[in-house]
Structures are given as structure tokens and as C-alpha cells.
Amino acid sequence: MKIKSILVKSIAVAAMSVTGLVVANNAGSNTAQAAIVQNDASVVTVNYVSNNSISVYNNYENPVATGQTLASNTSWKVIKTAYDSKGHKWYDLGKNQWVRAKYVTIGYHAAATQTQTTAQASTQAPAQSQTQNTQTASNTSASSYTSNASGSEASAKAWIANRESGGSYSASNGQYVGKYQLSASYLNGDYSAANQERVADNYVKSRYGSWSAAKSFWQANGWY
């Protein structure tokens, strides 16, 4: 899921060139300027619970809803951070898919599927990964996870893995780790092959709906 270096560099340059403009006022007025600023998040999680989803917009300056929605408790990679002329903060999730920052929190958080204590919730892995010595008999061991991708889905998944890492679970590139080049924050410290497979399946299902759709996106953009 890594962004190609050229894109990262261009975003960084753009961010550096306009950092701080949001707080600047137009000469002789108190009107804030809309601007892209230095990115302050790598991943955000939808926390807005009304209707269990939030809308995606085509830009941050004159936003128009695209019709796409993101479900509560789903996490998304952030490409840009910006403020509109009214001082509202926005995040670009890639290809000009913008969401209001007020409806998300910074960081990855797995959806709560059961009542948890505060301590449990803060350490919940993206895919409920735990070491074997702390698992109970009722929990499925992360080491035994088997993907249900088959046929064209399995083919698309293997295609992405080959493009991202050559199929290596031990590959790394900055913050991106393993066979599917997942953000380290998604893996929550568990880099086992089983957890990489589990988190990759969950990520693709949440963001694209299928590995075939993720492959199509990768072919069009060079990342997923």
C-alpha cells in the first residue's frame, strides 16, 4: 500500500511550500486562506457514528460530495492535510477523496466488536493479534489464519503482493512492512505472516471491497 517515492516527494514539496498559510490573513483583512499544510497524520479512523458513516468530497476548497461514504471504525491512509477558507481541517485519502478532520481521529483503531476495558481497547490489534501464551482456547490463533481469497481474488492478491514486495513477508520500505507493504501501524507490532495476511484482507475489504478492485486501483495509481 506504499505511495511511490515521486508522489511522496511531490506532496512533501507542496506541503512545505504552503505550510503556515492557513494562519496567515489576507493583507488588510481577517479572511483565512485555504491551503494545503504539512501533513500531520499517516492514518486516520472514522469516528462519526451518525448513520454509521461519513461522506467523501472531491476537494476541500469547494467540497462536493462524491457519493462515496466511509463506515465508522474504518481506517484510511492520509495523503494530504489542508484547511479551507473557513478554517475547517480536511484530509485527502488519495486521488482527491477528502473528508472533514472533525469526523476522524488520528491513528489506526480496530472496530470494537465487544465490550472492552480501556486498557484492552488501547492495545487492540488491527486484526485481534495476540501472542500464543496469552490466548484462550476460545480465541483463534493468529498463526492459524487462512485467507478465504480464491480464484480471481487469490490471483489479484498474489499480483499485488508480487508488485509490492516480490512476495516477501520480511520486505520493508520505511514505515511499510512485509508482503503487502502494510503500514507498521496497521500491524500493531505483529509482523507474523498470519497477521500480515489477516490485516491485508481486512484492509482491502474495508477500502476496496475486493482484491480485484484493489488491483484495478493499483494498476491505475501505482499503489493501493
Side-chain angles (χ1 to χ4, degrees):
M1 65 174 69
K2 60 180 178 294
I3 306 301
K4 295 304 179 183
S5 59
I6 294 177
L7 178 58
V8 172
K9 291 177 181 177
S10 63
I11 291 172
V13 171
M16 290 293 290
S17 67
V18 296
T19 300
L21 290 183
V22 170
V23 296
N25 292 331
N26 291 328
S29 75
N30 293 318
T31 302
Q33 297 179 7
I36 294 174
V37 299
Q38 185 171 357
N39 197 11
D40 65 356
S42 59
V43 176
V44 294
T45 298
V46 179
N47 61 12
Y48 191 57
V49 296
S50 178
N51 298 321
N52 294 315
S53 65
I54 62 173
S55 295
V56 176
Y57 295 85
N58 61 347
N59 65 73
Y60 70 94
E61 295 176 284
N62 299 291
V64 176
T66 64
Q68 180 184 5
T69 60
L70 305 180
S72 293
N73 295 315
T74 56
S75 296
W76 306 90
K77 181 189 253 181
V78 175
I79 308 304
K80 300 175 188 174
T81 301
Y83 285 85
D84 62 26
S85 60
K86 296 180 180 179
H88 299 143
K89 188 177 182 179
W90 294 79
Y91 288 118
D92 180 11
L93 307 182
K95 301 299 288 184
N96 289 319
Q97 299 176 93
W98 295 87
V99 296
R100 281 283 299 275
K102 66 181 290 186
Y103 300 134
V104 300
T105 54
I106 294 176
Y108 177 85
H109 304 285
T113 57
Q114 57 185 350
T115 302
Q116 298 172 306
T117 64
T118 300
Q120 286 174 323
S122 66
T123 57
Q124 180 72 27
Q128 190 63 38
S129 61
Q130 297 174 303
T131 56
Q132 290 184 346
N133 64 338
T134 60
Q135 289 177 324
T136 65
S138 61
N139 288 330
T140 300
S141 172
S143 63
S144 64
Y145 176 78
T146 301
S147 175
N148 60 6
S150 61
S152 61
E153 282 297 282
S155 177
K157 184 177 182 180
W159 186 95
I160 287 178
N162 186 57
R163 296 304 188 282
E164 291 291 323
S165 69
S168 172
Y169 288 113
S170 61
S172 64
N173 181 9
Q175 66 170 309
Y176 302 106
V177 178
K179 187 174 180 178
Y180 304 98
Q181 290 294 278
L182 301 162
S183 173
S185 62
Y186 282 35
L187 294 167
N188 201 43
D190 182 354
Y191 301 149
S192 67
N195 197 48
Q196 288 185 39
E197 294 290 340
R198 185 197 302 266
V199 176
D201 281 344
N202 289 343
Y203 170 81
V204 166
K205 180 179 179 180
S206 175
R207 179 154 192 167
Y208 300 103
S210 70
W211 280 100
S212 294
K215 177 182 176 180
S216 295
F217 186 92
W218 200 108
Q219 290 173 317
N221 300 280
W223 60 279
Y224 77 113

